[in-house]
C-alpha cells in the first residue's frame, strides 16, 4: 500500500467526522513553515500571565503522516484539556470541559478557578509568583482522537493525535489549503499519524 492509498483512506475517514468540512495531506515543505509561524506566535504570546507553548502542533509535525482539516462549530473536542499550565514537566493547572468535574472541584480548597473552566491547583504552585517569575508556562497539548484512525484493518496506527494551531497559523492554513475560507466558526486542526506497519493481506 503506497502513501497515496494510505492518504485516501485517512482522508475519507476524516470527512465522515462530524464538524470536519474538508481535509488534505500537509505538504512536507509546510512543516518547517508552520513551525516558524508557531515559534513567532509563541514569542509574542503572553497570555496575561505567562508564555504559551503549542506542544501539540510540534508533536504532530514530527509524525510520519500529517493532515490539515477544516472544522466548523459542530466539531467535537471531547473532554480533553485544550490548555494546561505546567511548572517544569508537572501539570499544575488545566482547562476542564466536563461540567461534573468542574462542580466537584469547585468545592475543594486547593483549587482556584482562573476563569469559569480553568483550574489551578494551589498546592502545586506558588500563585501568581511562579508565573510572574516565568517558572510556569501555558501549553496547548496534542489530543488523542479515535476518529483519526481509518476503517481499514491493513493500516495499524501507533498513534493518532490532533492539534490546534495558533491564530496566525490557522490563517496561513486556510489561505493555502482552503481557498482563504474564513467564515465565522471555521477553524483548522492538524492531525498527526504514526503507523505501526502496513499488513499486505
Amino acid at each position: 500500500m503506497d502513501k497515496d492509498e494510505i492518504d485516501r483512506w485517512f482522508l475519507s475517514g476524516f470527512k465522515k467526522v462530524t464538524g470536519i468540512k474538508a481535509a488534505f495531506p500537509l505538504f512536507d515543505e509546510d512543516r518547517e513553515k508552520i513551525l516558524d509561524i508557531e515559534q513567532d506566535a509563541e514569542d509574542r504570546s503572553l497570555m496575561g500571565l505567562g508564555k504559551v507553548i503549542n506542544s501539540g502542533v510540534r508533536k504532530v509535525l514530527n509524525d510520519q503522516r500529517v493532515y490539515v482539516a477544516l472544522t466548523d462549530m459542530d466539531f467535537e473536542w471531547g473532554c480533553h484539556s485544550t490548555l494546561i499550565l505546567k511548572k517544569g514537566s508537572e501539570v499544575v493547572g488545566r482547562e476542564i470541559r466536563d461540567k461534573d468535574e468542574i462542580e466537584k472541584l469547585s468545592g475543594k480548597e486547593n483549587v482556584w478557578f482562573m476563569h469559569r473552566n480553568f483550574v489551578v491547583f494551589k498546592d502545586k504552585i506558588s500563585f501568581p509568583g511562579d508565573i510572574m517569575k516565568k517558572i510556569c508556562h501555558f501549553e496547548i497539548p496534542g489530543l488523542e482522537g479515535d476518529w483519526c484512525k481509518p476503517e481499514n484493518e491493513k493500516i495499524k496506527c501507533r498513534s493518532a493525535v490532533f492539534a490546534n494551531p495558533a491564530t496566525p497559523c490557522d490563517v496561513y492554513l486556510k489561505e493555502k489549503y482552503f481557498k482563504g475560507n474564513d467564515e465565522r466558526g471555521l477553524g483548522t486542526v492538524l492531525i498527526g499519524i504514526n503507523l505501526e506497519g502496513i499488513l499486505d493481506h
Side-chain angles (χ1 to χ4, degrees):
M1 189 180 291
D2 64 19
K3 282 197 302 186
D4 289 344
E5 193 176 349
I6 292 167
D7 286 345
R8 279 196 295 275
W9 271 102
F10 278 111
L11 293 171
S12 88
F14 298 154
K15 287 168 190 172
K16 293 176 188 169
V17 176
T18 302
I20 290 185
K21 294 176 70 70
F24 296 99
L26 191 80
F27 296 122
D28 280 340
E29 65 264 24
D30 275 335
R31 294 188 189 223
E32 200 63 45
K33 174 74 175 170
I34 289 167
L35 270 180
D36 289 343
I37 296 171
E38 287 289 338
Q39 184 62 56
D40 186 57
E42 281 174 21
D43 292 342
R44 296 164 189 264
S45 75
L46 281 173
M47 212 182 112
L49 294 165
K51 187 171 184 172
V52 182
I53 296 170
N54 199 332
S55 60
V57 165
R58 291 176 184 279
K59 154 84 181 76
V60 163
L61 291 173
N62 280 319
D63 288 345
Q64 290 170 338
R65 308 299 302 142
V66 181
Y67 304 92
V68 54
L70 186 69
T71 61
D72 64 19
M73 298 290 277
D74 293 326
F75 181 70
E76 182 51 63
W77 291 89
C79 287
H80 304 291
S81 297
T82 57
L83 185 69
I84 57 179
L85 180 64
K86 290 177 91 174
K87 182 176 180 176
S89 60
E90 185 181 17
V91 175
V92 296
R94 62 190 172 89
E95 178 195 34
I96 295 176
R97 301 168 79 86
D98 184 287
K99 287 177 182 170
D100 292 339
E101 192 177 359
I102 290 171
E103 197 173 322
K104 195 168 76 176
L105 286 171
S106 61
K108 296 199 171 183
E109 278 189 19
N110 73 321
V111 168
W112 178 67
F113 277 82
M114 188 183 283
H115 62 72
R116 190 168 49 87
N117 63 341
F118 193 95
V119 297
V120 174
F121 302 103
K122 293 191 284 188
D123 55 346
K124 295 183 176 182
I125 182 175
S126 170
F127 191 83
D130 284 351
I131 292 177
M132 303 307 278
K133 292 175 193 165
K134 299 190 175 144
I135 296 170
C136 294
H137 66 274
F138 291 95
E139 205 167 290
I140 302 168
L143 307 172
E144 288 186 29
D146 289 338
W147 57 265
C148 300
K149 297 170 184 176
E151 298 167 0
N152 182 333
E153 59 189 25
K154 291 185 179 181
I155 302 174
K156 303 290 183 189
C157 287
R158 192 167 70 247
S159 66
V161 172
F162 66 103
N164 189 15
T167 301
C169 188
D170 175 71
V171 170
Y172 173 78
L173 292 169
K174 283 175 181 168
E175 284 176 358
K176 180 146 186 188
Y177 293 86
F178 305 107
K179 300 178 180 173
N181 193 338
D182 64 350
E183 285 174 41
R184 185 177 173 79
L186 294 183
T188 53
V189 291
L190 288 165
I191 305 156
I193 307 286
N194 284 317
L195 299 170
E196 192 72 68
I198 297 155
L199 307 178
D200 292 325
H201 56 276

